[in-house]
Amino acid sequence: MRPERLFGVMLALLVLFGLPVASAAQTPSSPVEAAAPLPLEAYGALPSLELVQLSPAGQRLAFISVADEQRRLILMDLVALAPLANVAVGEAKVRDLQWLGEDRILVVTTETQAARTLGVEETEFAAGQVYNVSTGRVVPLLTTTRGMFPALLSHVTVVPGEGRPDILVRAFSTERPQRVDLYRVDPDSGRARVTDTMFPETTDFVFDPLTDRTVARSEYQSRTGDWSLLIRNEDGNFRKVWETVAPIDLPSLLGLGVNGDSVIIGVDRPDLDPAEGEPGQFFEVDLKTAEWQSLRFGFRARSLWFHPSTGRLVGAVGLEGDLPTYTFVDPEAQRLWDTARATLPDLAPTLLSWSEDYRKAILFTSGTGDSGTYYLLDLDAGALNAIGAAYQEIGPDRVAPIQPVTYAAADGLEIHGYLTLPPGVETPQGLPLIVLAHGGPAARDVLGFDWWAQAIASRGYAVLQPNFRGSTGYGRDFLEAGYGEWGRKMQTDLSDGVRWLAGQGVIDPARVCIVGASYGGYAALAGPTLDRGVYRCAVSVNGVSDLRRMVDREARMRAEDENAAVRYWNRFMGAERLGDRSLDERSPSRLAEQADAPILLIHGRDDTVVPVEQSRLMAQALRRAGKPVELVELDGEDHWLSRSSTRLQMLTALMAFLLEHNPPD
């Protein structure tokens, strides 16, 4: 099968809606034009096309289009090749789209707000609205039921029905205080009724659409760390079939097994692991016998895929080297993936959505020469159609080349990462370098287009993104190697990469700065204060500067000195207990006098993960110490840089700072 392009009716529809077409349809820039970098707006803008979803029958397409801050829900009929809807969403932050059958689609948005009835000062709450294709109505969920707090407090389960599907979600009602029960919501009215009573200690549930009832749930006592699995008996009551003490790493109740007679749990069970090989992460528990069985997929699975209608396990996704790979139980689903990989062999596609008969799928690619392209794969038509581009203004010749790299840390641990070179540089030598540290820290960077790294590279810098110890995706031992290493080996893993690139002659070790967000923001601050002599400047975005104060906040937010969040941070940070003053020795705001490079602090005022206080503390400490510092606060911005205007504000401040303190020429 060879790729085809929709330069016919589909393209006309995209143009009619004023939407971006696929990057392959762009005209390459001339050599003269390519010499001048694109404006930062091209990188700071939100993706102009995102959340592309196929309807269950594969006959309709939905996605969000973004222009400036304005989002629109676009629906298309793939059979008639005709527009169905163009609905203004406004500036709301759209986090998810989910089809409810063929005629309705759920739009999930989030907003930063307080909920004192729930004991929450401020967090990012999710809300749901259903658009009905037939009536053109938009129905907000939960708002028409008395006493309901209109927030979705769990994942959403769609229950198919003859006339229309229902939505299952946990929610809070002042009529039923102290509980977050499971409600069945009518998508045409938004009204909710209790379908299953749940209590504060209930952490998750598995619902079987075929039997129309909850078949399993989990419970957790945060103070003690006791986690329990409960399975419903035939008489309707729940029985506890397994329990463990999980002070930090909570098991996850994920969904139904392949045949619907078991549930899948993500958990660390060394007692069930084989003597050799990578330990199992996912297990199947029989609903009748409560027997456990390890699930194996031939690779280290990162996540599992479940059928959207039946809720049953259909496959797993992982990485082969740096490329995504999938395996499926259903041979038709496997054929779909094998065709996708064979059709785009050099572009490393990822699967985003598919029809229930596995005959159509939405694919996404990005990387060198590709700022992000969405495709519709149609097995019946034997065609691969480009739907649109994520970053329309960043054409193929504007995407800086990205390559995997591997180097040894000081203690010999192998570190993987990615090096992005400035556009047009074929033989790198003596380049200025920006170390871009990822957040988490239990996360990782992947091979693909990164708007932040690309923006920096476009200005003449090489960009190194190391997956330092403590990152996910490299096995349990690699993750655990990061425990207690904030400001220690997790930090020197970054500067070891600088030294390796310098030894290769790729970069000039005298022209290096460090940048990062969230945990990466902490790493950026720890560079000049804890790992000194490496960086000419540092930029922290939404970063942590005072470790002890950060952990204390987690305790206050949950009104418990002992809880899983506190234990998690103490383990990664290396603290023995809440209030451990040894954390001060690795807190940049308490080491401001040691800073040996100028620092730029950027922070969203609506950040509910790392409060803006953390950057203000750092700025105050640096000023008291007489050290060069700048602080930029982003109005209305959250932890994830969800607004294009503040993304651009961040990039503008970042690049001005880098050009001043580490000019590329």
Side-chain angles (χ1 to χ4, degrees):
M1 182 186 299
R2 66 183 182 85
E4 301 287 346
R5 300 289 169 182
L6 286 179
F7 292 129
V9 178
M10 180 64 81
L11 178 58
L13 291 174
L14 293 172
V15 173
L16 175 65
F17 281 152
L19 303 176
V21 295
S23 57
Q26 300 166 357
T27 302
S29 303
S30 69
V32 175
E33 292 173 326
L38 291 170
L40 291 177
E41 287 87 345
Y43 303 94
L46 295 172
S48 50
L49 187 68
E50 60 183 359
L51 299 176
V52 184
Q53 293 290 309
L54 268 178
S55 65
Q59 297 181 351
R60 291 175 169 177
L61 187 70
F63 55 86
I64 295 294
S65 173
V66 185
D68 297 323
E69 296 295 338
Q70 299 302 310
R71 294 164 172 85
R72 304 192 72 85
L73 170 65
I74 309 298
L75 304 179
M76 292 183 174
D77 188 321
L78 296 178
V79 177
L81 290 178
L84 288 173
N86 182 351
V87 184
V89 181
E91 296 187 7
K93 295 179 286 189
V94 181
R95 303 301 191 186
D96 191 27
L97 295 181
Q98 188 170 351
W99 282 97
L100 312 175
E102 294 295 305
D103 293 325
R104 299 166 182 83
I105 189 160
L106 172 65
V107 182
V108 178
T109 61
T110 65
E111 181 180 1
T112 304
Q113 58 180 304
R116 290 175 177 81
T117 56
L118 290 172
V120 177
E121 289 299 317
E122 196 171 68
T123 192
E124 195 84 359
F125 280 109
Q129 305 86 34
V130 174
Y131 177 76
N132 189 306
V133 179
S134 300
T135 66
R137 293 182 61 217
V138 177
V139 177
L141 302 184
L142 305 175
T143 59
T144 56
T145 304
R146 189 178 68 177
M148 295 297 300
F149 182 70
L152 311 179
L153 300 180
S154 74
H155 61 85
V156 170
T157 300
V158 179
V159 183
E162 292 187 4
R164 53 157 177 74
D166 280 338
I167 295 170
L168 287 181
V169 68
R170 294 184 72 182
F172 177 83
S173 171
T174 57
E175 305 289 313
R176 300 168 64 87
Q178 307 305 316
R179 291 209 296 261
V180 181
D181 294 316
L182 184 63
Y183 287 83
R184 186 183 292 259
V185 187
D186 181 344
D188 291 336
S189 68
R191 294 189 63 82
R193 68 181 190 277
V194 176
T195 189
D196 208 342
T197 297
M198 294 184 178
F199 299 95
E201 61 270 18
T202 303
T203 53
D204 214 339
F205 65 93
V206 173
F207 186 87
D208 184 355
L210 298 184
T211 61
D212 198 35
R213 66 176 188 172
T214 305
V215 296
R217 56 169 70 160
S218 57
E219 295 181 352
Y220 186 66
Q221 302 289 343
S222 183
R223 180 173 291 277
T224 62
D226 294 326
W227 189 93
S228 303
L229 171 65
L230 295 89
I231 290 177
R232 190 187 291 271
N233 295 324
E234 292 184 0
D235 62 8
N237 296 316
F238 283 89
R239 75 183 192 278
K240 185 184 297 184
V241 298
W242 186 71
E243 59 185 336
T244 187
V245 178
I248 302 175
D249 298 312
L250 276 65
S252 301
L253 190 55
L254 300 172
L256 290 168
V258 173
N259 299 317
D261 55 3
S262 61
V263 290
I264 308 300
I265 296 179
V267 64
D268 184 8
R269 286 290 307 265
D271 55 314
L272 296 182
D273 289 337
E276 299 179 358
E278 180 67 23
Q281 180 182 0
F282 300 108
F283 296 86
E284 187 174 21
V285 181
D286 190 281
L287 287 172
K288 289 186 177 179
T289 66
E291 294 180 352
W292 288 63
Q293 182 177 350
S294 178
L295 294 176
R296 301 287 169 165
F297 303 101
F299 54 78
R300 185 184 295 121
R302 299 177 63 197
S303 60
L304 304 183
W305 285 54
F306 295 86
H307 194 281
S309 295
T310 67
R312 297 183 179 186
L313 178 68
V314 294
V317 58
L319 289 174
E320 288 183 337
D322 293 291
L323 304 179
T325 186
Y326 300 78
T327 187
F328 291 98
V329 176
D330 190 302
E332 292 300 317
Q334 189 64 46
R335 185 176 296 111
L336 179 69
W337 165 242
D338 291 341
T339 304
R341 184 166 54 180
T343 306
L344 296 168
D346 301 322
L347 296 181
T350 57
L351 280 170
L352 299 183
S353 173
W354 64 71
S355 59
E356 290 186 348
D357 62 2
Y358 304 116
R359 303 302 294 172
K360 293 180 182 177
I362 302 298
L363 310 177
F364 180 74
T365 63
S366 78
T368 299
D370 182 3
S371 61
T373 307
Y374 293 92
Y375 296 90
L376 172 63
L377 175 64
D378 188 334
L379 298 189
D380 292 329
L384 179 73
N385 296 317
I387 297 171
Y391 290 91
Q392 171 69 8
E393 294 186 36
I394 308 175
D397 59 337
R398 301 286 194 161
V399 180
I402 314 151
Q403 62 189 57
V405 295
T406 303
Y407 60 90
D411 63 357
L413 184 65
E414 188 174 74
I415 305 297
H416 298 263
Y418 303 98
L419 180 65
T420 302
L421 297 175
V425 174
E426 296 182 358
T427 306
Q429 185 174 6
L431 294 172
L433 176 69
I434 305 301
V435 176
L436 184 57
H438 68 68
R444 60 163 294 167
D445 282 316
V446 296
L447 184 64
F449 180 88
D450 182 307
W451 63 272
W452 200 350
Q454 289 286 326
I456 296 172
S458 74
R459 268 50 187 175
Y461 299 95
V463 181
L464 176 64
Q465 295 173 274
N467 284 322
F468 43 83
R469 72 189 69 205
S471 300
T472 56
Y474 298 97
R476 182 188 298 164
D477 290 344
F478 192 86
L479 175 69
E480 292 179 351
Y483 293 171
E485 296 298 335
W486 280 53
R488 294 168 174 157
K489 291 181 179 180
M490 285 168 64
Q491 192 68 34
T492 55
D493 284 349
L494 304 176
S495 53
D496 286 339
V498 174
R499 287 179 278 273
W500 174 75
L501 286 173
Q504 301 291 312
V506 173
I507 62 105
D508 179 353
R511 295 194 294 161
V512 182
C513 287
I514 184 170
V515 177
S518 193
Y519 169 79
Y522 166 82
L525 297 177
T529 56
L530 283 158
D531 194 12
R532 302 192 303 164
V534 181
Y535 306 105
R536 293 183 72 179
C537 64
V539 181
S540 168
V541 179
N542 296 343
V544 179
S545 70
D546 189 317
L547 304 189
R548 183 158 55 95
R549 188 181 290 252
M550 185 67 192
V551 179
D552 287 347
R553 175 179 179 269
E554 292 292 332
R556 292 196 311 272
M557 287 181 63
R558 290 161 176 79
E560 291 181 340
D561 289 349
E562 271 296 315
N563 63 67
V566 169
R567 292 189 290 264
Y568 172 85
W569 289 117
N570 279 342
R571 178 178 68 180
F572 249 116
M573 292 177 180
E576 294 294 330
R577 62 192 178 280
L578 184 66
D580 189 339
R581 292 188 176 274
S582 69
L583 293 179
D584 297 350
E585 300 170 3
R586 286 171 290 124
S587 293
S589 65
R590 298 177 184 269
L591 305 171
E593 292 184 356
Q594 299 180 188
D596 64 354
I599 292 175
L600 170 63
L601 301 157
I602 303 175
H603 217 118
R605 286 180 175 163
D606 286 353
D607 191 338
T608 61
V609 179
V610 178
V612 67
E613 168 200 41
Q614 287 283 327
S615 285
R616 292 172 179 169
L617 285 170
M618 188 71 195
Q620 293 167 4
L622 288 167
R623 288 168 184 152
R624 285 195 301 269
K627 303 292 183 175
V629 60
E630 298 177 32
L631 172 61
V632 176
E633 296 188 9
L634 307 176
D635 289 336
E637 186 54 272
D638 57 28
H639 190 68
W640 304 277
L641 299 175
S642 300
R643 301 176 62 228
S644 59
S645 61
T646 40
R647 277 192 183 188
L648 177 59
Q649 185 183 357
M650 182 278 289
L651 281 181
T652 301
L654 165 70
M655 295 312 307
F657 189 80
L658 294 180
L659 291 171
E660 177 184 357
H661 297 287
N662 191 31
D665 48 26

